[in-house]
């Protein structure tokens, strides 16, 4: 097993990397490896892992970390009384190999063997894969050990350059010294060595330019003049004879590795990272470079992923890894700037580089020919910016990140989404401490959701928590609760969510910026194409182009999966940003959006088969309207809430009324209740008493559907009072039917009949045939329960004929179902079945699942009573399950009663007792004493064993 500290911490077994994902585990392993084969006291390990104020459970937690490392690495970690020791072979630890090679180089140098000394130093430095301990999440190590190791590497680089210069390799070291000077601009030693190399290659002007740049940096940054060595080098260059320059040797290609540091607390993205590694590895014999683009919204972690993957591929690209940012706060970076920088890093410093981008691109392709170099191009603006930077050789690879979808660029594209909630919480824990986050799991969940699961926002939040150790997670979650100030609080140092999103907006034209603002004004979870066009006040074709541009810029997300058709949505933080922009350029958006939604919903609602104010229309494909409402339900519910909030009562109740038929068919009772309550409150505030009555009536229907009959009666009575005062006679007739239905369910048939007759009178006076048919149906059921069979049957059959004649498919099916119930009550199973089966089929075609189940429950009861228990039982058991899931207490109770009767009637009274007991309890809960009496009689019979 091999251990590597000189770069990101790595453990290699055979040819496989041993994954140690937990940051604290990596820190512990690093602390032990830094003192390999020595006992490290537990107290020191605790300090290195948790700092000067460790948690009280630190020692116990440390023991757990050691145990998990042993499970991963085997028994290499040994417990001692005072601490722990890791036993490793000196050759298996890169730090030890580095130190031995450096010591051997000193011996070779003292013996006068400079070539061997240089060879040993080159071998030692190749062990470095980047900054030491780069991914080890320990503040103590980054404060103490990492600088020590960096200084050790710096001294070694100085020695190697010095020996190479003594060997006369002036041209060979220019490229590397150029990079070292760029990376360490205040290190006078590297500058002096570069001046010497350039001077001895006859490049006097460039040597003096190095001095001037170094002096300027020292004066500006430290306020000091160069030291004696650098000034001496300047004088040597100035005194040299310009007429007799030394012969100039061609500079060799060097291997620059200029990636930014890897992130120590890299979380998630394992699948994406492995996919990128596989795709980027050079293909033997390949004729063109691998080009992979990582696309995602601002702050989603594209750069972090790209840099992380690039670091892990260093061995695959031994000839170099180049990095360039292609977008800054001031805009797009010109490709010529990037090409010039790359060429200088590749050893062409001092050449008179052309200004033409094509010529520079040719030079880059020539310089990379036959080499294995990885280019990381970060935050590209478009494909045109990237193309000149692409190598021509198959041994190279290019990893591009971008906020925009870089259409026109060859190669694969990987879409990067936000983190999952568990990953987001893990990231918080890695940065702020697992114990701190684990102590407040609910608050942590709220916090990551308010950060939109966006890595940038999460890192800012974690940094704020880490800088305030006395504060709770709940405190920061509450800080972010106010949307109007959330982006103000997602700022730390040079990191800011608002600025990051603003960069994405910079490249948009004004039409797209306007669209982003306007869409944010409508508070719905996603935007179908028809709604976007209404909001933007643009044609469908123009809207499609604008939306595509916003999708390409990663400022909107494709939400097609939520409804099948074209639709988009905001990330929460982008929406907040867009709302801020809207405040600066307001426009009457809602005045267009709400009427458009009302028109669309009412148009589709009119095609639904349901018990609505107007006659339903029998269509060949009623599911078309259902599909539309299924897709748009979240949009319309969100619109009702916003309309009610902003005081647009008319839009609120009209949208709610249009939704009700669909919600009834689907049994969506939660949205039914919410929308009606929001709209009712808005109507009352606005003094819209007709709308308030419609919402009260709808709440009455909901109470009836949920078997809450006294509550339903109160809602229907409120609606009736308002409609009578407004002179809305047809509506008042329906309210009388609702009140009568509640009396009927509460077994007060006499009062129910009076209500139904009042409704019938109203409908007759205003010639409302459909209302009259419903009143007749209700009276027929009352006649049935009063024992007047002939009159009840005649009324039921006439009602079915009336609904059929009116083309009201839904109401006719309801009437057939009630007739089937009536025949079942009269113990005529064949007639009951003849009406129940077509009613069940019709409700299924309408998508009315609850009503379909009620027909199924009736069929189960009929089959049981007609001697077919094998077919009846599965039907009734399914009804019990589904009615329970829907919260339909009455129907669940009836299904249980039928199931209990079935079991009792087939010689298993003991098994029936439990089921019938549940049925009695549910009938009591529903407030239907007549049904409870029937179930209680069955229960008594079962208890008697009969």
């Amino acid at each position: 097993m091999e251990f590597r500290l000189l770069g990101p911490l790595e453990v290699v077994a055979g040819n496989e990397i041993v994954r140690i994902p937990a940051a604290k585990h990596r820190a512990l392993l690093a602390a032990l490896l830094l003192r390999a084969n020595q006992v490290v006291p537990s107290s020191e390990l605790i300090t290195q892992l948790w700092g000067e104020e460790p948690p009280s459970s630190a020692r116990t937690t440390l023991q757990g970390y050691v145990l998990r490392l042993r499970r991963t690495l085997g028994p290499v970690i040994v417990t001692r009384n005072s601490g722990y020791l890791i036993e490793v072979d000196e050759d298996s630890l890169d730090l030890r190999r580095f130190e031995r090679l450096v010591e051997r180089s000193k011996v070779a140098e003292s013996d006068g063997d400079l070539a061997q000394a240089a060879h040993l130093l080159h071998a030692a430095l190749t062990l470095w894969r980047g900054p030491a301990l780069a991914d080890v999440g320990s503040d103590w190590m980054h404060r103490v050990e990492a600088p020590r190791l960096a200084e050790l590497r710096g001294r070694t680089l100085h020695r190697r350059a010095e020996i190479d210069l003594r060997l006369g390799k002036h041209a060979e070291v220019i490229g590397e010294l150029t990079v070292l000077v760029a990376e360490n601009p205040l290190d006078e030693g590297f500058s002096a060595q570069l001046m010497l190399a350039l001077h001895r290659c006859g490049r006097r002007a460039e040597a003096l330019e190095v001095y001037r740049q170094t002096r300027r940096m020292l004066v500006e940054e430290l306020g000091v003049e160069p030291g004696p060595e650098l000034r001496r080098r300047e004088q040597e260059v100035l005194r040299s004879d310009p007429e007799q320059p030394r012969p100039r040797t061609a500079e060799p290609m060097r291997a620059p590795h200029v990636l930014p540091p890897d992130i120590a607390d890299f979380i998630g993205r394992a699948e994406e990272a492995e996919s990128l590694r596989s795709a980027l590895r050079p293909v033997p014999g390949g004729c063109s470079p691998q080009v992979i683009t990582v696309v995602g919204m601002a702050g989603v972690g594209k750069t972090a992923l790209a840099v992380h993957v690039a670091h892990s591929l260093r061995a695959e690209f031994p000839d170099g890894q180049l990095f360039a940012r292609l977008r800054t706060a001031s805009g797009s970076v010109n490709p010529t700037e990037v090409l010039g920088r790359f060429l200088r890093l590749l050893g062409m410093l001092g050449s008179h580089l052309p200004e033409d981008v094509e010529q520079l691109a040719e030079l880059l392709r020539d310089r990379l020919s036959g080499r294995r170099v990885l280019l990381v191009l970060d935050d590209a603006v478009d494909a045109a910016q990237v193309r000149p930077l692409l190598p021509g050789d198959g041994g190279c690879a290019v990893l591009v990140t971008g906020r925009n979808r870089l259409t026109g660029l060859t190669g694969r594209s990987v879409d990067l989404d936000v983190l999952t909630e568990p990953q987001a919480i893990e990231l918080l824990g890695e940065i702020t401490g697992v114990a701190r986050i684990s102590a407040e799991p609910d608050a942590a969940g709220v916090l990551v959701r308010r950060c939109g699961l966006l890595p940038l926002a999460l890192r800012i939040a974690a940094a704020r928590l880490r800088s305030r150790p006395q504060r709770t997670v709940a405190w920061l979650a509450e800080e972010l609760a106010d949307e109007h100030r959330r982006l103000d609080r997602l700022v730390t140092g040079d990191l800011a969510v608002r600025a990051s999103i603003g960069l994405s907006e910079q490249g948009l034209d004004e039409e797209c910026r306007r669209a982003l603002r306007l869409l944010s004004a409508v508070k719905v979870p996603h935007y179908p194409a028809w709604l976007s066009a209404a909001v933007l006040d643009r044609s469908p074709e123009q809207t499609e182009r604008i939306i595509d541009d916003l999708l390409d810029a990663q400022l909107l997300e494709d939400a097609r999966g939520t409804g099948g058709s074209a639709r988009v949505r905001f990330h929460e933080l982008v929406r907040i940003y867009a709302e801020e922009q809207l405040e600066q350029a307001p426009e009457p958006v809602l005045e267009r959006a709400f009427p458009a939604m009302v028109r669309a919903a009412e148009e589709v609602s009119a095609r639904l088969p349901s018990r609505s104010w107007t006659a339903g229309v029998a269509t060949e494909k009623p599911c078309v309207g259902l599909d539309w409402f299924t897709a748009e339900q979240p949009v319309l519910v969100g619109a009702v809430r916003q309309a009610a909030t902003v005081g647009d009562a008319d839009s609120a109740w009209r949208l709610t009324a249009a939704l009700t038929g669909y919600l009834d068919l689907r049994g969506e009772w939660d949205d039914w209740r919410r929308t009606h309550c929001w709209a009712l409150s808005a109507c009352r505030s606005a003094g819209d008493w007709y709308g308030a009555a419609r919402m009260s009536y709808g709440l009455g229907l909901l109470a009836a559907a949920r078997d809450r009959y006294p509550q339903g009666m109160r809602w229907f009575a409120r609606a009736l009072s308002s409609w009578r005062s407004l002179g809305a006679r047809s509506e008042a007739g329906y309210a009388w039917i609702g009140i009568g239905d509640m009396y009927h369910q509460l077994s007060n048939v006499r009062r129910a009949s009076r209500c139904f007759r009042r409704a019938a009178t109203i409908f007759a006076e205003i010639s409302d045939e459909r209302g009259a048919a419903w009143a007749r149906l209700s009276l027929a059921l009352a006649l049935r329960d009063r024992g007047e069979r002939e009159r009840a049957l005649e009324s039921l059959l006439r009602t079915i004929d009336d609904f059929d004649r009116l083309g009201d498919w839904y109401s006719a099916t309801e009437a057939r179902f009630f007739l089937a119930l009536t025949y079942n009550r009269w113990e005529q199973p064949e007639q009951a079945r003849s009406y129940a089966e077509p009613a069940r089929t019709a409700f299924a075609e309408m998508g009315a699942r609850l009503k379909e189940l009620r027909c199924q429950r009736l069929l189960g009861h009929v089959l049981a009573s007609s001697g077919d228990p094998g077919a009846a039982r599965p039907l009734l058991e399914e009804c019990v399950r589904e009615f329970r899931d829907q919260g339909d207490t009455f129907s669940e109770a009836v299904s249980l009663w039928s199931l209990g009767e079935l079991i009792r009637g087939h010689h298993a009274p003991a098994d029936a007792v439990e089921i019938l007991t549940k049925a009695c309890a549910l009938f009591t809960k529903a407030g239907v004493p007549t049904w409870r009496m029937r179930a209680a009689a069955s229960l008594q019979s079962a208890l008697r064993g009969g």
Side-chain angles (χ1 to χ4, degrees), residues 1-3 33-38 86-101 127:
M1 189 172 287
E2 183 181 350
F3 299 91
L33 289 171
L34 285 166
R35 293 168 63 179
N37 300 315
Q38 301 176 42
I86 187 166
E87 296 178 333
V88 298
D89 189 316
E90 293 288 320
D91 287 333
S92 67
L93 180 59
D94 61 354
L95 177 58
R96 293 288 178 265
R97 295 205 307 276
F98 173 81
E99 291 170 339
R100 286 203 312 277
L101 287 167
L127 295 173

Side-chain angles (χ1 to χ4, degrees), residues 89 232 243 305 330 343-344 361 423 505 579 609 639 792 841 922:
D89 189 316
R232 185 174 64 252
E243 297 300 324
L305 174 63
S330 57
L343 288 167
R344 286 189 290 273
Q423 289 172 338
E505 191 200 21
E579 285 181 4
T841 300
L922 290 176

Side-chain angles (χ1 to χ4, degrees), residues 199 253 299 324 416 426 511 545 782:
H199 184 207
M253 160 76 179
L416 203 60
E426 184 184 358
E511 189 76 5
R545 182 197 64 77

Side-chain angles (χ1 to χ4, degrees), residues 857-870:
R857 184 256 305 158
L858 175 59
L859 280 171
H861 189 85
V862 169
L863 289 169
S865 61
S866 59
D868 193 354

Side-chain angles (χ1 to χ4, degrees), residues 81 115 144 420 435 544 549 613 696 756 776 785 927 935:
N81 289 336
V144 178
T420 63
E544 183 179 5
D549 287 347
W613 297 102
S696 296
F756 298 146
R776 189 180 306 110
D785 291 348

Side-chain angles (χ1 to χ4, degrees), residues 591-613:
E591 289 84 342
R592 292 194 298 267
F594 288 151
M597 286 189 270
V598 169
R599 286 193 300 273
E602 288 181 343
E603 180 183 340
V604 180
S605 178
R607 304 203 307 264
L608 281 184
S610 64
R611 182 177 177 176
S612 59
W613 297 102

Side-chain angles (χ1 to χ4, degrees), residues 327-332 381 404 499 501-521 535-536 538 542-543 545-551 553 555-556 570 574-587 589 592:
R327 186 197 308 250
T328 67
S330 57
S332 171
V381 175
N404 298 1
I501 297 172
L503 273 179
S504 298
E505 191 200 21
Q506 273 185 4
L508 298 178
D509 60 28
E510 181 51 38
E511 189 76 5
C512 289
R513 290 179 182 173
R514 171 182 176 270
L516 193 70
R517 297 192 301 267
L518 298 188
L519 288 172
S520 73
V535 169
L536 303 185
R538 296 292 185 265
Q542 290 173 311
T543 301
R545 182 197 64 77
I546 294 168
I547 294 298
D548 283 346
D549 287 347
L550 291 172
L551 284 169
L555 288 166
L556 289 178
F570 275 110
V574 177
R575 182 186 61 76
I576 293 172
Y577 173 87
E579 285 181 4
E580 291 180 348
Q581 311 312 305
L582 181 64
E583 291 175 4
Q584 301 171 24
E587 193 170 324
V589 187
R592 292 194 298 267

Side-chain angles (χ1 to χ4, degrees), residues 96-118:
R96 293 288 178 265
R97 295 205 307 276
F98 173 81
E99 291 170 339
R100 286 203 312 277
L101 287 167
V102 171
E103 288 304 314
R104 287 171 57 194
S105 76
K106 291 177 181 177
V107 173
E109 183 181 6
S110 65
D111 291 342
D113 191 348
L114 294 182
Q116 177 65 6

